Amino acid sequence: MKQFLQTTAKHTLIFSIGDIAQKAVAFFLLPVYMRCLSPEDYGVLSILGIMSMVFSGLILQALPTASFRFYSFDHGEDDRERLDVISTTYMYLLICSLLLYTVLFALSPSLSALFFKEGNFSNFIRIVLVTDFLNCASNIPFVILRARLLSGWAAGIALCRVLVGTCLIIWFVVVRDMGIVGVLYANLIMGGAIFLLAPLITVVVHRTLSFHISVDKLKRMLAFGLPIVPGMFAGWIMQSADRYFLEHFSTRSQLGLYSIGFSFASILSFAFVEPFRKTWPAIFYPKAKEGDAGEVFSRFVTYFMLVGFIGALAIICCSEHLILLMGPEDYWNAYNVVPILVTGILVHGTQTTVNMGLFIKNKTIYAPLIVIAAALSNIVLNALLIPKFGMMGAATGTLLSYLIMLAITVEVNQRLYPIEYEYARLLHLMVLFVAIVSLNYTFRFDFWASLFFRIALFSSFFLLLFVTRFFTKSEASAITEVVRKILSMRTKAFIRTRPKNPSSVNEKSG
């Protein structure tokens, strides 16, 4: 079991490198976008991204997930059958996406009117649709890398993709000053390169390339994948309804500012929540079989929230100054939504930690229903709040919908797999977090005074945890011991680097 967990953690980490690198680079490109694009331009890019996500998800029909299952589990011992799985899904998606994207390409003026409140963005939409076709059609061969745990290959390809894509964006947007279309052309070129590369993965691994379509396998994979789509679609609504409503019921500038604020809040997602979500199943499944599982899971949720609140406070305390340094004045108000959005992301991550019962008890039929209920609440809240409060209403609606999803998740899972969570300690954490965030919003100073004030606020969170006796005696002792060891190591390192005879050194230097 130990070897299994080590292997799982290793490959999960390596597979995550590409995704984390891509999101990290997207964040570090923000100064480029903020200097070269207006908030309105960034809002247009945000809506194009939403459109891309929705259509790509629907056209893929959850077949990457289905083909992974059939390749690695149903036909895991027969290479000919595995090749048949890949060729069937690859050819089906190639044909299906070609037909559907051709229709969408012809409907681009209508799509522009549907997704944008004003302006004709048909040309931009056509570039995005061609890029999405190339990406969808080349999606399946990469399943081979995950199924065979060729994580080094996957990470290498992803890092090359990120590096080349970043260079293309800088070339088109900064050097050529092409604005939005420069970003779209960079993505189009990378999509074409991946489209040409993808079939080579099958050739390298299976030593051949097949174009055969097995109708029987296709039916079974669609039967497996299609029921997943409603829940996935509800998840996309949770992620994108706020920006869609901002485009149609507020201003495009508000949309651009909100999208920038969301990018900063998302640091918590790609640095902490998403890597955890990928490794958590490999941890809780084997632990659930042990006698102390309930106690361990309860304590783990407390620790998850503790680390999450620390990360959220770090982002809240430094993001305004980063926005001030990275972008012109037009973007400075983007900070206002960061505290609310980062809290929503933490709540969403917490929902993952308490959603074990559905999987342990094999009651996953409830999972999409929970997401659908939260998505519907998200639509209603956005419709009510955005027309009056703009981007602040969007952020608040998103946070409230995640809280609703968390509440439903806890209720359902407690009925299936009861756990006595440390509610008093969780409330303790939340009160301290809300108090510090409230102080952060209440007092405003100039740049340097504000910076030191927020550093003091962030530091006070740790002090208050001890003063208000959040930690148990054993936890406090363990923390003290860790700090003592760190200080001891630093002292020893300092002693080793000091000259043994300072006076002789001074004499020689003299």
Side-chain angles (χ1 to χ4, degrees):
M1 181 58 69
K2 182 180 178 181
Q3 182 62 37
F4 169 76
L5 291 176
Q6 288 176 342
T7 302
T8 302
K10 168 190 170 185
H11 290 291
T12 299
L13 177 62
I14 298 175
F15 276 121
S16 299
I17 287 174
D19 185 48
I20 293 173
Q22 185 174 359
K23 292 176 180 177
V25 169
F27 174 78
F28 287 115
L29 279 173
L30 283 179
V32 174
Y33 294 142
M34 294 167 73
R35 297 289 177 182
C36 300
L37 304 176
S38 67
E40 290 80 4
D41 291 336
Y42 201 83
V44 171
L45 278 178
S46 180
I47 293 296
L48 291 172
I50 290 171
M51 185 196 71
S52 171
M53 179 177 63
V54 170
F55 287 139
S56 296
L58 292 175
I59 289 171
L60 284 172
Q61 303 160 73
L63 280 173
T65 302
S67 61
F68 182 90
R69 152 72 188 249
F70 278 72
Y71 186 95
S72 60
F73 184 74
D74 293 72
H75 303 291
E77 303 300 324
D78 190 329
D79 265 4
R80 292 181 61 184
E81 294 292 330
R82 296 170 107 183
L83 180 61
D84 210 26
V85 168
I86 294 299
S87 66
T88 296
T89 46
Y90 178 75
M91 293 304 299
Y92 171 76
L93 279 180
L94 182 64
I95 297 169
C96 185
S97 59
L98 178 61
L99 293 174
L100 292 175
Y101 275 116
T102 299
V103 173
L104 292 173
F105 192 91
L107 295 174
S108 55
S110 300
L111 294 176
S112 179
L114 174 65
F115 282 93
F116 293 94
K117 178 172 63 176
E118 56 188 21
N120 185 358
F121 295 94
S122 300
N123 291 333
F124 290 170
I125 289 174
R126 292 188 185 105
I127 298 173
V128 172
L129 291 174
V130 174
T131 304
D132 288 346
F133 160 72
L134 296 171
N135 289 330
C136 284
S138 58
N139 195 289
I140 296 302
F142 287 91
V143 169
I144 299 174
L145 300 182
R146 291 194 296 117
R148 289 181 174 260
L149 292 180
L150 298 173
S151 51
W153 286 26
I157 293 172
L159 290 174
C160 289
R161 186 176 184 175
V162 168
L163 179 62
V164 175
T166 302
C167 293
L168 287 171
I169 288 174
I170 292 174
W171 170 257
F172 285 123
V173 176
V174 179
V175 179
R176 299 292 302 275
D177 193 23
M178 296 175 68
I180 295 175
V181 73
V183 179
L184 301 182
Y185 279 156
N187 293 334
L188 177 62
I189 292 171
M190 285 308 305
I194 295 298
F195 179 78
L196 297 175
L197 170 68
L200 298 179
I201 296 174
T202 307
V203 174
V204 172
V205 175
H206 287 278
R207 309 298 182 185
T208 186
L209 189 63
S210 173
F211 300 100
H212 176 254
I213 296 179
S214 169
V215 177
D216 176 63
K217 287 187 177 65
L218 180 60
K219 287 180 179 178
R220 289 191 290 130
M221 283 189 284
L222 287 172
F224 179 89
L226 288 177
I228 302 174
V229 173
M232 294 175 62
F233 188 69
W236 301 325
I237 292 175
M238 289 285 292
Q239 297 176 32
S240 58
D242 46 8
R243 277 155 284 184
Y244 182 85
F245 276 88
L246 277 171
E247 165 65 18
H248 288 271
F249 297 103
S250 186
T251 66
R252 193 165 292 158
S253 177
Q254 285 273 293
L255 169 62
L257 294 176
Y258 181 86
S259 300
I260 289 291
F262 189 85
S263 296
F264 278 86
S266 295
I267 296 172
L268 185 69
S269 180
F270 71 74
F272 174 58
V273 174
E274 287 305 316
F276 166 78
R277 286 165 67 93
K278 291 178 179 179
T279 57
W280 183 225
I283 298 171
F284 77 70
Y285 273 127
K287 186 63 184 178
K289 299 176 182 179
E290 300 178 12
D292 62 342
E295 180 183 350
V296 171
F297 290 153
S298 173
R299 184 64 58 87
F300 182 85
V301 170
T302 303
Y303 293 157
F304 177 89
M305 291 289 287
L306 172 62
V307 175
F309 277 134
I310 292 172
L313 280 175
I315 293 170
I316 291 169
C317 290
C318 71
S319 56
E320 182 176 17
H321 293 83
L322 288 175
I323 291 173
L324 293 175
L325 293 171
M326 291 167 65
E329 188 174 354
D330 290 346
Y331 283 98
W332 289 356
N333 285 333
Y335 168 73
N336 292 326
V337 298
V338 173
I340 303 173
L341 289 175
V342 77
T343 304
I345 290 172
L346 177 58
V347 171
H348 189 204
T350 305
Q351 186 263 346
T352 300
T353 66
V354 301
N355 199 28
M356 301 168 291
L358 298 185
F359 299 92
I360 293 171
K361 297 298 183 179
N362 198 24
K363 298 291 184 180
T364 52
I365 187 174
Y366 295 110
L369 298 178
I370 293 172
V371 182
I372 290 171
L376 291 174
S377 69
N378 186 259
I379 292 173
V380 173
L381 288 167
N382 280 316
L384 292 174
L385 296 174
I386 288 176
K388 187 174 182 179
F389 301 105
M391 66 179 185
M392 297 302 291
T396 303
T398 299
L399 172 59
L400 291 175
S401 61
Y402 279 133
L403 286 170
I404 290 170
M405 184 165 68
L406 175 61
I408 298 173
T409 301
V410 171
E411 178 64 25
V412 173
N413 279 269
Q414 286 294 81
R415 292 177 182 273
L416 296 171
Y417 190 77
I419 296 175
E420 293 185 9
Y421 292 112
E422 299 178 318
Y423 292 109
R425 298 185 76 196
L426 293 174
L427 180 62
H428 191 153
L429 278 173
M430 284 185 275
V431 169
L432 292 181
F433 177 78
V434 171
I436 290 177
V437 172
S438 299
L439 290 172
N440 176 65
Y441 263 115
T442 302
F443 297 98
R444 313 295 295 176
F445 306 100
D446 60 28
F447 184 89
W448 290 108
S450 177
L451 177 62
F452 288 117
F453 174 69
R454 284 174 175 158
I455 292 174
L457 276 181
F458 179 71
S459 303
S460 69
F461 182 70
F462 298 93
L463 178 62
L464 287 171
L465 288 173
F466 281 95
V467 171
T468 58
R469 298 183 179 180
F470 168 79
F471 296 109
T472 64
K473 290 183 178 180
S474 59
E475 291 168 348
S477 298
I479 294 171
T480 304
E481 181 65 19
V482 169
V483 172
R484 188 190 65 77
K485 287 183 178 179
I486 293 174
L487 294 176
S488 176
M489 291 172 61
R490 284 195 161 194
T491 302
K492 290 178 180 178
F494 174 72
I495 293 173
R496 284 198 299 267
T497 56
R498 287 184 62 188
K500 292 183 178 180
N501 192 346
S503 58
S504 63
V505 172
N506 291 335
E507 289 174 6
K508 288 181 182 179
S509 61

